[in-house]
Amino acid sequence: VTSQNRFDAVAKGQADMECSSSTVTLSRLKQVDFSSYIFVESTGLLIQAASGLRSLSDFSGKKIAVVAGTTNERAVTLQLNRRQISASVLPFKSRDEAFAALEQGQVDALASDKLLLVAVAAKAREQKSLALLPDDLSFEPYGIVLPRGDSDFRLAVNTGLSQLYGGGEIVEIFGRWFRQFGEPGVSLMTFAGIVACQVPLFALAAVADGWALYALMVAFMIVVFGAIPFTDALIVRYVD
């Protein structure tokens, strides 16, 4: 599947679930369902190190590549409008196409989830020529995409996730894929505990279909992670 058709694939029964960098939003919940959170990310900007750009504030008159239909596209547009920065947001069909445009100098930055930017930069011919800016432009809580209307399936998936996180298996998985970037810190361990504790809440949601419980988890995560800088972006995620 692609970034553009992944939700249709699950909604139409072509796939039972989709497990990638899919952010939970209210607009998407109208079409599909989601599991408990499995990861938390932020929209970042990858640039050519020699460009002299240091933050989003420097992007007046610049071009920013995004993958069409992603929350990153909306997050960048929102931040540009809020800060009254006259930059252009150029959508591409895939992250590889957008990254190629950055390498070829067709755009000044590529906006995506930061971990995904690290992954594409690792494939670059000249990795040292690239830089990831410190800006955190959004709050991106990932979930496994599930079909709507199947609360038993959702509960089974969330129970499996709770066992994975609560039993410590997530540490081994983290090591397999991410240890090259550093050891897991307190935030990962805290998040593992949060995911493990979500199952009772989602059990209630399965019965009452009470997505207001999401708001409770979001508030808890803001307190635990100290995610106050993300609050506005977080609200946008859930009303978008």
Side-chain angles (χ1 to χ4, degrees):
V1 297
T2 66
S3 296
Q4 289 75 38
N5 68 13
R6 54 186 162 164
F7 302 110
D8 285 337
V10 175
K12 294 177 180 179
Q14 299 168 349
D16 295 314
M17 64 175 68
E18 188 265 351
C19 192
S20 66
S21 55
S22 296
T23 301
V24 183
T25 72
L26 279 181
S27 61
R28 290 173 176 177
L29 284 167
K30 296 176 182 178
Q31 182 182 13
V32 294
D33 206 343
F34 283 90
S35 70
S36 303
Y37 298 146
I38 59 173
F39 203 76
V40 175
E41 252 289 15
S42 173
T43 298
L45 295 167
L46 186 69
I47 63 166
Q48 295 285 353
S51 67
L53 298 168
R54 294 294 177 265
S55 71
L56 185 65
S57 301
D58 299 329
F59 274 78
S60 181
K62 304 298 184 181
K63 299 177 181 178
I64 303 174
V66 296
V67 179
T70 60
T71 52
N72 307 121
E73 179 180 12
R74 293 193 287 271
V76 171
T77 301
L78 170 70
Q79 292 293 346
L80 291 174
N81 290 338
R82 287 188 60 189
R83 304 184 195 190
Q84 298 182 338
I85 300 171
S86 57
S88 300
V89 178
L90 306 181
F92 289 81
K93 290 183 179 180
S94 70
R95 194 166 293 103
D96 288 338
E97 289 183 10
F99 180 62
L102 175 64
E103 285 196 302
Q104 296 164 13
Q106 298 173 9
V107 298
D108 300 289
L110 166 58
S112 187
D113 294 353
K114 286 191 170 182
L115 190 61
L116 301 180
L117 292 176
V118 171
V120 296
K123 303 176 184 177
R125 294 186 295 271
E126 298 290 340
Q127 295 180 20
K128 293 182 179 179
S129 68
L130 301 170
L132 185 63
L133 295 183
D135 302 70
D136 289 310
L137 303 179
S138 68
F139 180 82
E140 306 289 339
Y142 292 177
I144 298 173
V145 182
L146 304 171
R148 292 195 71 193
D150 194 341
S151 58
D152 288 340
F153 185 39
R154 182 179 66 195
L155 181 58
V157 170
N158 287 335
T159 301
L161 288 172
S162 178
Q163 293 169 348
L164 185 151
Y165 279 86
E169 187 179 352
I170 189 61
V171 177
E172 187 275 329
I173 294 174
F174 178 93
R176 187 190 316 160
W177 296 102
F178 302 123
R179 185 151 288 129
Q180 59 182 310
F181 304 113
E183 291 297 320
V186 175
S187 292
L188 177 68
M189 297 300 99
T190 303
F191 182 63
I194 290 172
V195 174
C197 291
Q198 283 190 62
V199 167
L201 290 176
F202 276 87
L204 291 174
V207 175
D209 202 25
W211 286 107
L213 291 172
Y214 254 178
L216 176 62
M217 290 306 302
V218 169
F220 183 47
M221 289 175 73
I222 289 176
V223 172
V224 172
F225 283 102
I228 301 304
F230 299 125
T231 302
D232 290 343
L234 180 64
I235 292 173
V236 170
R237 282 288 156 275
Y238 278 83
V239 300
D240 193 4

